[in-house]
Amino acid sequence: MAAKATIPFLVSMMLVTGVCNTLLTKYQVGDEHGSIR
Amino acid sequence: MTRFDVRLMREGTVQDMQCVRDCDSSDPRQRRHFEQPVIQTAQMFVGEMGCWLVVAGHAMYVRYLAHRRRGGSGYRPIGLDEPTLAADEDDRDGRPAAADPMSPARKPLVANDDARRPLRGGRVMLLALPAGCDIAGTTLMNVGLLFVAASIYQMTRGALVLFVGLFSVLFLRRRLRLYQWSALVLVVLGVALVGLAGALFQDRRAVPSAGDVTDHSAARLRRRALAAAAAHAPETLRTVVGILLIAAAQIFTACQFVLEEWILEHYALEPLKVVGWEGIFGSLGTIAGMIVLHVTVGRTARGRYGYFDAREGWRELTQSQAIGVSSVLIMISIG
């Protein structure tokens, strides 16, 4: 049962960390409006 | 305090946190933000090298703890899914001869046992090729991210599937069916739509006010439209350039993926080690590139404070708390 839940969990974590990575990278550079949009 | 004042304070705070030079200037356009795409690429590769921590942790677990969990009787349960002759190989490749099938979470930590040759010794240098493609692709994407919103950036990266499909057919002799080609065309159309929308419909805050908004006389409306178009032109150009850079970067990223597939088709290596080795080669390549570009471009009068000024980039990274903390978080998210 735990093994079945592992793959969706890992995929979700991959997506979440990807989103965080993109937002953090954009946060670093920002823009003239002070937002990351 | 009105809602506008609160928003101005919040956005001013966020902007000031990213400002790295001329932050005291009264003209906001003179303030400089963190624009170091090469350093951001290096951050990514350092994060990839963090995979070695997991590999080391797993190796220590297998060496010191796995034996204790099996018990001291010397007898081990025979695996129902694995051949008994593999029991002697357990300690070497780290896979205990337990009765349970391998957990999906542990699969990246062990090499597949099949007919492929193990990727060892000098052959590991093969991973420098996809790492080189990753350097080019990621740096171009980071430059493009300077010009577009994060949402447009992420959607434009969808163009990757088209290039991966093309390169798979060209170089790996894969065959795609009609429905797969149709799906690729649909994805490209979607990416093109996103890019077009991003270029045509700019953020309203970028448009300067052109007078009393309640006056809808024809002349006033014409003046406002011309002012809006003039104000939009540099923003539109920036957005188009950013989208083109990100789309072009997908060519290099597709090369990386295809190279990795070719290498792993012929050689066996634990997936986490593949990422770790690419992190090492990518870091070394990026640092070497930063040194060369700093000496040839960053130190010159034209290159000072630009993308290749490594000294200025290091100063910005270490003296700004927001950038330093976000850098560490980026490395963790990559890892």
Side-chain angles (χ1 to χ4, degrees):
Chain A
M1 176 101 174
K4 281 185 181 176
T6 304
I7 291 175
F9 172 72
L10 289 175
V11 171
S12 305
M13 285 302 298
M14 182 191 77
L15 295 172
V16 167
T17 53
V19 167
C20 291
N21 175 48
T22 300
L23 292 177
L24 283 167
T25 306
K26 186 60 180 176
Y27 167 77
Q28 278 192 333
V29 300
D31 63 12
E32 60 275 16
H33 310 302
S35 67
I36 58 176
R37 288 186 291 150
Chain B
M1 186 176 287
T2 64
R3 230 187 303 177
F4 175 77
D5 294 326
V6 172
R7 195 183 92 177
L8 198 61
M9 279 177 57
R10 185 188 73 226
E11 292 181 357
T13 304
V14 170
Q15 180 185 358
D16 289 340
M17 286 170 71
Q18 295 137 356
C19 179
V20 292
R21 204 159 35 83
D22 300 331
C23 302
D24 297 329
S25 173
S26 55
D27 184 2
R29 288 170 296 183
Q30 297 299 321
R31 298 172 192 166
R32 293 290 173 255
H33 296 94
F34 184 72
E35 293 182 347
Q36 296 288 336
V38 185
I39 287 183
Q40 289 178 317
T41 301
Q43 286 172 9
M44 183 199 74
F45 284 115
V46 171
E48 285 191 14
M49 284 201 292
C51 289
W52 287 113
L53 295 173
V54 180
V55 173
H58 179 254
M60 288 174 64
Y61 166 79
V62 165
R63 185 165 192 164
Y64 297 112
L65 296 177
H67 290 296
R68 287 185 203 170
R69 291 190 68 179
R70 277 194 229 120
S73 64
Y75 290 98
R76 291 175 292 184
I78 297 172
L80 296 175
D81 297 330
E82 298 168 17
T84 54
L85 289 176
D88 291 338
E89 300 294 324
D90 286 347
D91 292 339
R92 280 212 290 275
D93 60 30
R95 186 167 38 180
D100 300 328
M102 186 182 302
S103 161
R106 292 192 61 243
K107 279 188 177 177
L109 292 161
V110 296
N112 299 321
D113 59 344
D114 49 26
R116 293 178 297 160
R117 285 187 292 175
L119 191 65
R120 286 189 195 136
R123 287 199 210 103
V124 171
M125 294 291 296
L126 282 172
L127 293 173
L129 294 171
C133 294
D134 202 0
I135 291 173
T138 302
T139 305
L140 280 175
M141 278 194 279
N142 287 334
V143 175
L145 188 56
L146 295 173
F147 303 136
V148 302
S151 50
I152 297 176
Y153 163 85
Q154 202 64 281
M155 293 307 295
T156 307
R157 288 180 67 177
L160 175 67
V161 293
L162 173 69
F163 293 116
V164 170
L166 283 173
F167 291 171
S168 296
V169 169
L170 283 172
F171 302 117
L172 298 180
R173 301 287 187 262
R174 299 277 187 267
R175 301 189 72 167
L176 294 179
R177 296 186 180 157
L178 179 63
Y179 75 92
Q180 290 170 317
W181 282 115
S182 306
L184 288 179
V185 168
L186 271 176
V187 166
V188 170
L189 283 176
V191 170
L193 269 175
V194 167
L196 201 60
L200 291 179
F201 301 105
Q202 295 296 321
D203 192 335
R204 289 180 184 278
R205 287 172 293 178
V207 180
S209 169
D212 183 6
V213 297
T214 60
D215 186 349
H216 295 295
S217 64
R220 179 76 68 171
L221 285 172
R222 226 177 3 252
R223 278 199 294 275
R224 283 175 62 197
L226 286 171
H232 273 157
E235 280 288 324
T236 303
L237 187 61
R238 280 168 61 91
T239 304
V240 170
V241 168
I243 290 170
L244 289 176
L245 282 171
I246 296 166
Q250 303 315 307
I251 297 175
F252 292 99
T253 308
C255 288
Q256 174 201 348
F257 283 14
V258 169
L259 274 169
E260 285 172 348
E261 184 172 346
W262 180 83
I263 291 170
L264 292 177
E265 211 175 326
H266 294 85
Y267 299 96
L269 183 66
E270 294 88 321
L272 267 183
K273 286 186 180 177
V274 172
V275 177
W277 277 115
E278 287 195 18
I280 290 175
F281 292 129
S283 299
L284 293 174
T286 305
I287 291 170
M290 282 169 66
I291 293 171
V292 169
L293 287 168
H294 176 72
V295 168
T296 54
V297 179
R299 281 197 317 182
T300 62
R302 286 192 68 181
R304 193 164 292 128
Y305 306 136
Y307 295 167
F308 306 121
D309 189 343
R311 184 175 299 177
E312 172 67 13
W314 179 253
R315 184 198 70 80
E316 292 171 6
L317 189 66
T318 51
Q319 292 189 2
S320 169
Q321 185 184 12
I323 292 170
V325 169
S326 57
S327 298
V328 172
L329 292 175
I330 287 171
M331 291 180 208
I332 294 171
S333 70
I334 293 286

